[in-house]
Amino acid sequence: MSVNVRITKKSRFKKKLKIEDIVKMTNLSYGVCDENYRLIDNEFAKHTLLYDKNNLARGIDVSIENDDIILLLSLPTSSSEIRLFYKVITNICNNLKLKKYFREEELVDLNDSDKFIEYDEEASIAGLNDLKEKISSNSYQRFEIFGIYNPISIGEKEVSYFNNDLEKFSEYLHHIQSIDAYYATPRVYKVADKLVGIYAIGSDIPSIVPIAPYIVLNQIDGISSWYVMLKDGKTVKYSDFIENINKKEYYDANHVIVTLSNSEIFNLIKKFSVEIE
């Protein structure tokens, strides 16, 4: 679920805005997503994410298509990000001396922001209700949403915390993305005509790892086995890795935070080191 906005200049002679101009105009933080939907800070691309570093939520996707400025807001999101979304729209329209823009393909007035903020807050609350109902009824074990910094898995524990309370959901999004830890993602390699997924974990680095390894959005199918690469290129099976770590801190419905010492890594290698096959 998302809100799509298109800002179209009335005349081809009017000045053109680049994404860099929009960043300067709004004074927001920015970055781009890698193939695993983790944020790379301070880079521009065809799709660039704008966000308020003091109110972390899901980010505002900005792109330019035939001189039109496209803004995309994923829902559900925080009230502060919804308000930020319409503030960015106002800044851009004022800069281009426009009083109207397209919201969901409908031409709307710039002065109607308060109405649309209310709509999007209601839609976000409805989205949270939908998450709660589907997880409570066991229709789904968890949902994955995209935050600013990385994907977030929403399960029973999460919905029991924020329920359908948008303020608590906002607090949750900011808190979980303020945790100082490395979000680990796999690389996929072809070995002897098979696909294998490999995570790399270093020593003394708080790392967010999945309970069950996976590829986000199932972008690659047919991975036959999963491994973790530790020190000096030594690998262990993912199941041996995750089942033999003593200290795991809950992160979300499919991830924990682990911090391995050199001695723990040595013991894992000693007991479980295998060749990739």
Side-chain angles (χ1 to χ4, degrees):
M1 185 164 52
S2 61
V3 182
N4 189 293
V5 160
R6 179 183 294 266
I7 300 173
T8 304
K9 296 184 302 179
K10 292 181 179 178
S11 168
R12 66 186 179 89
F13 297 107
K14 285 197 172 186
K15 64 181 178 181
K16 298 178 181 179
L17 287 180
K18 298 179 180 179
I19 294 177
E20 292 91 328
D21 300 322
I22 296 171
V23 168
K24 289 178 183 177
M25 183 193 311
T26 59
N27 200 32
L28 292 172
S29 299
Y30 65 95
V32 300
C33 291
D34 68 10
E35 67 274 14
N36 293 297
Y37 294 88
R38 296 178 303 182
L39 188 75
I40 305 171
D41 265 325
N42 302 321
E43 286 196 15
F44 294 104
K46 182 178 179 181
H47 287 269
T48 300
L49 208 62
L50 305 185
Y51 65 97
D52 178 1
K53 64 182 179 182
N54 295 314
N55 291 285
L56 298 173
R58 304 191 64 186
I60 299 168
D61 183 288
V62 181
S63 60
I64 295 178
E65 182 181 291
N66 298 325
D67 294 337
D68 290 353
I69 298 166
I70 314 297
L71 302 171
L72 187 69
L73 181 68
S74 295
L75 301 179
T77 189
S78 67
S79 292
S80 62
E81 188 166 76
I82 292 170
R83 293 177 184 279
L84 178 65
F85 182 63
Y86 289 97
K87 183 178 178 181
V88 169
I89 293 168
T90 299
N91 285 346
I92 295 171
C93 287
N94 286 342
N95 186 278
L96 295 174
K97 296 182 171 52
L98 298 172
K99 295 183 183 290
K100 293 182 182 292
Y101 61 93
F102 289 92
R103 179 185 182 275
E104 297 299 308
E105 300 183 0
E106 178 186 357
L107 189 62
V108 299
D109 196 283
L110 192 61
N111 294 323
D112 286 335
S113 291
D114 287 345
K115 177 176 71 175
F116 297 132
I117 288 169
E118 185 176 344
Y119 287 173
D120 295 346
E121 287 179 337
E122 289 174 354
S124 289
I125 292 170
L128 294 180
N129 265 324
D130 187 54
L131 288 177
K132 177 185 175 184
E133 288 173 6
K134 287 177 177 175
I135 290 174
S136 298
S137 65
N138 294 319
S139 299
Y140 292 85
Q141 185 178 4
R142 61 177 181 269
F143 287 89
E144 192 163 58
I145 66 172
F146 296 112
I148 292 165
Y149 290 139
N150 51 254
I152 301 166
S153 293
I154 304 295
E156 186 176 357
K157 182 174 181 177
E158 287 73 25
V159 296
S160 67
Y161 170 72
F162 50 70
N163 204 334
N164 61 352
D165 187 322
L166 203 54
E167 185 175 341
K168 284 192 173 182
F169 182 60
S170 303
E171 291 173 0
Y172 170 78
L173 288 176
H174 182 75
H175 167 72
I176 196 168
Q177 295 183 89
S178 298
I179 295 170
D180 186 14
Y182 167 69
Y183 191 92
T185 57
R187 301 294 298 271
V188 177
Y189 300 91
K190 192 171 185 179
V191 178
D193 295 325
K194 294 180 181 179
L195 293 179
V196 299
I198 303 176
Y199 289 80
I201 304 296
S203 63
D204 300 317
I205 300 171
S207 300
I208 300 164
V209 298
I211 297 166
Y214 71 109
I215 299 291
V216 66
L217 295 181
N218 296 317
Q219 296 174 92
I220 302 174
D221 290 325
I223 297 177
S224 61
S225 50
W226 295 90
Y227 300 87
V228 176
M229 183 173 290
L230 298 168
K231 195 172 184 180
D232 300 326
K234 300 293 185 181
T235 55
V236 300
K237 290 183 178 179
Y238 197 90
S239 56
D240 289 329
F241 165 79
I242 200 68
E243 291 169 9
N244 290 279
I245 299 170
N246 293 324
K247 294 182 180 178
K248 303 183 189 106
E249 180 185 347
Y250 187 93
Y251 179 75
D252 66 17
N254 188 38
H255 295 82
V256 292
I257 303 173
V258 300
T259 307
L260 299 180
S261 66
N262 275 319
S263 63
E264 288 173 307
I265 287 177
F266 175 80
N267 287 333
L268 283 171
I269 292 171
K270 183 178 179 181
K271 292 180 181 178
F272 303 110
S273 179
V274 294
E275 296 294 325
I276 296 175
E277 57 181 18

